[in-house]
Amino acid sequence: MAQVILDRRDVDFVLHEQLEVETLSKHEKFEEFTRKTIDLIVSEARNLAVKEMLPTLKPGDEEGCTFDKGQVRVPESFHKLHGLFREGGWIAMCDDPEWGGQGMPATVALAAKNFFNGANFPFTLNTLLTHGAGKLVEIFGTEKQKQLFLKKMYTGEWGGTMLLTEPEAGSDVGALTTTAVMNDDGTYSISGSKIFISSGENDLVENIIHPVLARIEGAPAGTSGISLFLVPKIRVNDDGSLGEFNDVVCTGIEHKMGIHGSATCSLTLGGKGQCRGTLLGEVNKGMRAMFVMMNEARLDVGMQALGCASASFTNALNYARERVQGRHLQAAGKDAPPVPIIQHPDVRRMLLTMKAYTEGIRSIMYFTGFCEDMIRISGDANEKARWQGLIDVLIPIAKGYASDRAFDVCNMGVQMFGGYGYTKEYPQEQLLRDCKITHIYEGTNGIQAMDLLGRKLSLNQGQAFRDLLDEMTKTADAARAVGRLEGLAEGLSNVIARLEELALHMTKTARSEKMMSAYAVAYPFMEVTGDTIMAWMLLWRAIVAAKRLESGAKKKDVVFYEGQIRSARFFIGSLLPVTLGKMSAVITDDGTIMEMDEESFGGK
Amino acid sequence: MAQVILDRRDVDFVLHEQLEVETLSKHEKFEEFTRKTIDLIVSEARNLAVKEMLPTLKPGDEEGCTFDKGQVRVPESFHKLHGLFREGGWIAMCDDPEWGGQGMPATVALAAKNFFNGANFPFTLNTLLTHGAGKLVEIFGTEKQKQLFLKKMYTGEWGGTMLLTEPEAGSDVGALTTTAVMNDDGTYSISGSKIFISSGENDLVENIIHPVLARIEGAPAGTSGISLFLVPKIRVNDDGSLGEFNDVVCTGIEHKMGIHGSATCSLTLGGKGQCRGTLLGEVNKGMRAMFVMMNEARLDVGMQALGCASASFTNALNYARERVQGRHLQAAGKDAPPVPIIQHPDVRRMLLTMKAYTEGIRSIMYFTGFCEDMIRISGDANEKARWQGLIDVLIPIAKGYASDRAFDVCNMGVQMFGGYGYTKEYPQEQLLRDCKITHIYEGTNGIQAMDLLGRKLSLNQGQAFRDLLDEMTKTADAARAVGRLEGLAEGLSNVIARLEELALHMTKTARSEKMMSAYAVAYPFMEVTGDTIMAWMLLWRAIVAAKRLESGAKKKDVVFYEGQIRSARFFIGSLLPVTLGKMSAVITDDGTIMEMDEESFGGK
C-alpha cells in the first residue's frame, strides 16, 4: 500500500538518525521516552491521523462551519474526532502530567503533529488553541485559575482561544480598544469586539476559555498598556461547576478561502455589560504573555504548513507512480507505450523540489522542538540561553519561510495532477487553499521578516545568530570529511560566509539612516536565511545517510539514503545559486522601494 | 475615485507610447483605427467591464454553475452580461466584418480583453471558446460550414467549445480514443467521451458547436491519425434552422477550486449512436488545426492570468492607500498616529513587485498582439516570418511564465489585505483561486517549458530566438543613449548575453545523450527567459518614460513616468541578480533530477 499523509520512514529518520532523540531519555525528565515508546507514540498518532482524521478532511471542507443566532456548528464528523483526540491525550502532549499533560519531548510531539496536520489541519486547529490558552493559564495563572481551568483545558473538556485582533488592530496589536474596568470583587468588566477568533465559538465543548487582550481604564496607549484577562464563555463557580452565561456573544463567522472546518469568529464581549474576567498575569504585561506564547504558536503554524506540504507531496508522489500518460521522451517510436508520469523530466523536477523542501522543513521544525527539549533538560543557564537563542532565530524561518515554501509545494502538488488537481475530486486544491492562511495569521510573513531583521539578528548582541552560523558551519565541516559530500560542503560553507556578511550589512543598515530601505529588503533577507538553513538541514541529513551507506545498509534503506544525498545535491547545486543571486541583490540594493513616490505606484 | 480593475493610464501608455499602435492605421487594413477610435473602444470595454462585469464576479463565484439531468445553468447574472457582450460585438473583435467580426487590431483587442478578464474572467471564458471554435470554422471550414455556423458563432448567437481532452488523454493528446465513422452521406458518426470541456453545455445559447478531435476508423495511432470534426449540439438544417438533438450529452460538471462561473463539462458523444459531425479541414490533420489555434488560445490564457493580476494589484494598491494601521517605522514616539500601510517598507516591496510584473506582463502580451498585427499588414514574406517567429518564441512565456508570475502577484494580493484577504469579503482570494487554472489548461506550464526548449529554441534553425535576442539588444542599446538608464542598459545587456549562451547550451544538450537532463531544467530555462523578456519590456517602458520626462511632462504624467523608471530599476537591480543565479544553476546542472532512482523519491 502506498504511503499516506507522509512517509513514516522520513519521520523516523529525523527523530532517530538525524536528531537521535532517544538520547533525551538519558535524562530523568524524559526517561520514559525510550525508542520503543517514541515509536509507539508515532504509530498511535499515525493511526489516528490515517484512520480517523484524513477521512474527515474533505467532508470538513465541504460542510464547513455554520452560524445561526450566535451558535456555531463545526462539521459533524469533527465531534467523534474530538472525542478520540481527547481520549488519546493529544491536546497537551508535552505538558505537566499533573495538569493532564503527557510530558513528552517536544520533538516527539512534533512528529505526531506532522501526521495530524497532514491529515486534517483545520480540525487540529480547533485543539491547538485550547492548548495555547491552557499554556497561558499554566504560566501566568494564579493557583485558583489553574485549579478552575487548566486540567479541563489540557484534557479538552473545555476549549480555549486567543482574543487579540480587532477590526482596527490586526498586525498593530497596540491599537486595540477593548477595555477592562475593575470591579469591587477584583474581577474586571470587559467590553469590546474581537475578530478573526479561531474556534471563538463552537459546539465541540461545553465551555470556552478566552484569554483576552484589553486595556485597563487609564492604562497607557500602545502595547505597554495592554493586560491579559481570562474570560470564560460561561462563568465558572468556585467549585468548578458552570454558572451563568458570561456575555461573550458570537456575532458571525468568516467565509474563507480555506480551513472551512475551523470557525473564524467575531465576538462581542460585554454587549450587555455582563462580561467578567480575571486578570491573567500582571497589569499592563499582556504583551509579555503574548511573547511567551509566540514561539510555540508560530512553530505550530509552520507545522500546519508542513502538514499541507507533506500531504500534497505524498499524494503527488503516489499519483506520479500510478498515473500512466505520455510516452517516454526518448521512446523509439510513436507506438511506444505510455509511461508513469514520474518518468517525465519536469514531473521529476517538481517531485524532487517538493521532496527537498518538505523534508528540509521537517528537519527545521523538529530541530526547533529539539532545542526546546534541550532547554528542558539542561541545568546550565548559558547552555539554556544558547538553545533559546537558536529557537528565537529559527522561529521566523519556521513560520515565515517554511509556510511560503510549503505553499509552493502545494502549488506544485496541484500542478502534478494536471486538470484533476484543480478539481475537488482530489485533496490537492484544498491543501493549497488551507495552506494559504499560514502566511497570514500569528503575524504575517512580512512581520516574520521584520522580526528576523529587527529583533533576532541583534538578539544577545548578535550572539544568537552567530550561534546559528556556528551550528551550520559545524555541519559543513563534518560533510567535508565525508568523501562524496565534499563539493556540497563547499556549497554550504560558501553560502554561510555570504549570509554572515549579509547579516552584518543588514544589522548595520537597519540602524543607519537607510533603516527604511533595510526593512524593504527584510523579506528577501528572510528568504536567503531560510535557504541557507534549508541547505544546512539537507546536508546534515546527507551526512547521516552517507555514513549509513558507508557502514552498509539494507537495500530498502539504500534507496532512502541515496534519496537524502540527492536532495542535498539538488538543493545545493540547483537552488543555492539562486539564493546567492538574491543575496547579491540584497547587499547591492539601491533603495528604490522606499524612494518611490507614492503616486508613482499607479493612478488613484 | 480610485482606479478599478486596472490603471487605464498604463493601458494607454503601452498602446500609444510604447507600441504606438495608431501607426497601424496608416495601413489600409486598419485605417479606421485612429487614436480617437482606439480610445473609444478601450473606453467602451472599460465601461462594460466596470459597470456590468465586475459586479457579477462574486455572485458568479458563489452561485457557480449547476448541473441537473444533462442541463447546465450558468450564474443567473451572466445572461444579461452575455447579451451586452454580444451587442457590443466583443466576441470577434479582430475578425472579418463579413462574418460578424469587428476587424480591429489585435493589440487593441487585447486592451479590451485586459479589462474583461480583470473584471470577470470566468464569464469571459464562456465567450472566448465561442470565438476560438469560430476561428477554426473560418480557417478550415468549407463554404457551407461557414455559411451555416460562422456568423452565428462570431456574434454569440451560438456558442462554441473545443473537445480535446479525454480521461486518458490530457497532456498526451495522441492517446485519444474518440472515433469517427464515415456515413454514406459524407457525414461522420462520432462516438466517445470528452472531459474538462469549458462551456461544453450551458444555458447562455440555443446551440453549441463543438470542434471535436477524433480518430477515423483505421487511422494511424498517435497524433498523426487525429482528425477534426464539427459537431453541433443540435443539428443544423441546410437552411440554417435547428433540427434534431445530436446526441451530445453532458454527463456532469467538475467541482473546482475556482472559475465557478464557467462550467467544466464531461460530454458523451453518440451514446445512442446518433451523433453526427462533418469533417473540418483534412483527414488526419486535426492536430495541425490545433496548432493553428494554439498561439491564440495560449495568449488568451496568459491574458486571463494578467486579468487576475491586474485586478489584484489594483485592489491592493487602493487598499494600501486607504487602510490605516501601524505607526511609521521611523515615528518618533509611541503616540505617533497610524499611517496608511503603503508607508510600510514590506508593503511597498510587495506593491512594487506586483506593479513590475503586472505592467511587464501587460507589455509582453500587447507586444505579442502587435506582432500579429504586423503580420496582417505586412506584404513581405520574410518580414511576416520574422514577426511570426517572435510570436512563436513569446507564446510559452506569455502563457507559462506570465501565468506563474500572475499567480505570485495574486498571492501577494491576498497577503496585502492580511486576514481580510483570506475572506470572501474581498475579491483577492477568488482572484488567486481563479488564476490557478491558467497554469494548467491549454498545455500545462510544464508543457510550455518543453515547447520553448524542444520547438521554439530551434525554430527556423534558431533564427526566431536570435530575432528575439536582437529585439532585446536594440532596446538595451537605445537605453544606453539615455543618461539615467545607462546602468540599467548594462544590466539588460548582461542578462541577454547570458541568455544567449544558455540557449546555445540548452539547444546542444537537448540533442545530446543528456537530453533528459536538459528537459529536467526546461522549466527554470523558461523562467530565466521570461525574466529577461520582462526586463526588456520594463526597460523599453523606461526609455519611453525618460524621453517624455526630458521633453517636459505634466505633473500627473511625471509621477507616472517616474514610476516606469523605478519599476525597471527595481526589476533589473533586485530581481535580475536572482535570474543570473538561476541561469548559472541551469548551465552547471549535474543531472541529479534524472539520475535519481525512482524509489529514492520516497516510500511506497
Side-chain angles (χ1 to χ4, degrees), chain A residues 67-103:
Chain A
F67 172 80
D68 183 35
K69 298 190 194 96
Q71 305 296 310
V72 174
R73 284 176 190 278
V74 302
E76 183 52 39
S77 56
F78 283 15
H79 285 93
K80 179 188 170 201
L81 216 49
H82 194 253
L84 293 169
F85 217 73
R86 287 188 57 196
E87 272 171 38
W90 296 112
I91 293 174
M93 286 185 266
C94 303
D95 306 277
D96 195 338
E98 190 195 339
W99 297 109
Q102 304 292 327

Side-chain angles (χ1 to χ4, degrees), chain A residues 7 170 255 257 321 325 348 411 415 422 424 433 436 439 559 566 593 595-596 598 600 602-603, chain B residues 7 170 255 257-258 321 325 348 411 415 422 424 433 436 439 559 566 593 595-596 598 600 602-603:
Chain A
D7 189 348
H255 299 281
M257 181 182 194
R321 284 172 167 157
Q325 203 192 179
R348 293 175 71 97
N411 189 15
Q415 203 66 15
Y422 197 66
K424 293 180 183 289
R433 284 187 289 108
K436 179 60 202 168
H439 299 174
V559 291
R566 303 282 166 165
I593 296 172
E595 274 173 25
M596 180 118 169
E598 262 182 43
S600 292
Chain B
D7 189 348
H255 299 280
M257 181 183 195
R321 284 172 166 157
Q325 204 191 175
R348 293 174 72 98
N411 189 14
Q415 204 64 16
Y422 198 65
K424 294 181 182 287
R433 284 186 291 109
K436 178 61 201 165
H439 298 175
V559 289
R566 303 281 167 164
I593 296 172
E595 274 172 26
M596 180 119 169
E598 261 182 43
S600 293

Side-chain angles (χ1 to χ4, degrees), chain A residues 224-447:
Chain A
S224 57
I226 294 176
S227 304
L228 184 62
F229 298 88
L230 208 55
V231 178
K233 169 181 161 185
I234 299 169
R235 292 186 195 170
V236 179
N237 300 320
D238 283 353
D239 64 356
S241 63
L242 293 181
E244 288 169 52
F245 179 65
N246 195 29
D247 199 9
V248 178
V249 176
C250 179
T251 55
I253 60 175
E254 302 293 338
H255 299 281
K256 307 185 299 291
M257 181 182 194
I259 57 166
H260 295 163
S262 165
T264 306
C265 306
S266 300
L267 297 179
T268 295
L269 296 91
K272 295 185 174 166
Q274 298 299 316
C275 179
R276 299 282 179 277
T278 51
L279 186 67
L280 188 58
E282 296 173 44
V283 168
N284 293 347
K285 301 279 170 150
M287 284 310 285
R288 212 191 61 186
M290 281 303 94
F291 275 104
V292 166
M293 291 309 301
M294 210 170 260
N295 280 351
E296 183 181 318
R298 290 180 174 178
L299 185 61
D300 274 324
V301 173
M303 287 300 295
Q304 294 167 349
L306 172 61
C308 296
S310 297
S312 188
F313 168 55
T314 306
N315 297 337
L317 179 56
N318 291 335
Y319 189 76
R321 284 172 167 157
E322 287 159 17
R323 172 74 172 168
V324 172
Q325 203 192 179
R327 294 192 310 276
H328 192 281
L329 215 55
Q330 291 179 310
K334 287 190 176 177
D335 298 334
V339 296
I341 61 171
I342 194 173
Q343 295 187 23
H344 300 318
D346 192 57
V347 168
R348 293 175 71 97
R349 176 192 63 85
M350 287 196 276
L351 284 174
L352 190 47
T353 308
M354 294 170 87
K355 173 183 164 67
Y357 279 113
T358 305
E359 295 182 354
I361 292 171
R362 177 168 300 127
S363 288
I364 295 174
M365 299 297 172
Y366 291 23
F367 176 74
T368 309
F370 189 73
C371 295
E372 262 176 51
D373 290 329
M374 293 308 286
I375 294 175
R376 286 163 80 194
I377 63 172
S378 169
D380 181 84
N382 286 334
E383 212 179 284
K384 275 182 192 281
R386 187 173 181 281
W387 290 114
Q388 187 60 53
L390 283 174
I391 294 175
D392 290 339
V393 173
L394 285 171
I395 285 297
I397 302 304
K399 196 279 183 184
Y401 175 84
S403 65
D404 274 354
R405 295 297 81 81
F407 186 76
D408 293 345
V409 169
C410 293
N411 189 15
M412 284 188 188
V414 172
Q415 203 66 15
M416 286 279 308
F417 281 65
Y420 292 108
Y422 197 66
T423 71
K424 293 180 183 289
E425 207 175 317
Y426 291 92
Q428 303 301 82
E429 68 86 31
Q430 184 187 346
L431 293 169
L432 183 64
R433 284 187 289 108
D434 286 350
C435 188
K436 179 60 202 168
I437 190 60
T438 64
H439 299 174
I440 299 171
Y441 61 18
E442 285 302 325
T444 63
N445 287 358
I447 298 228

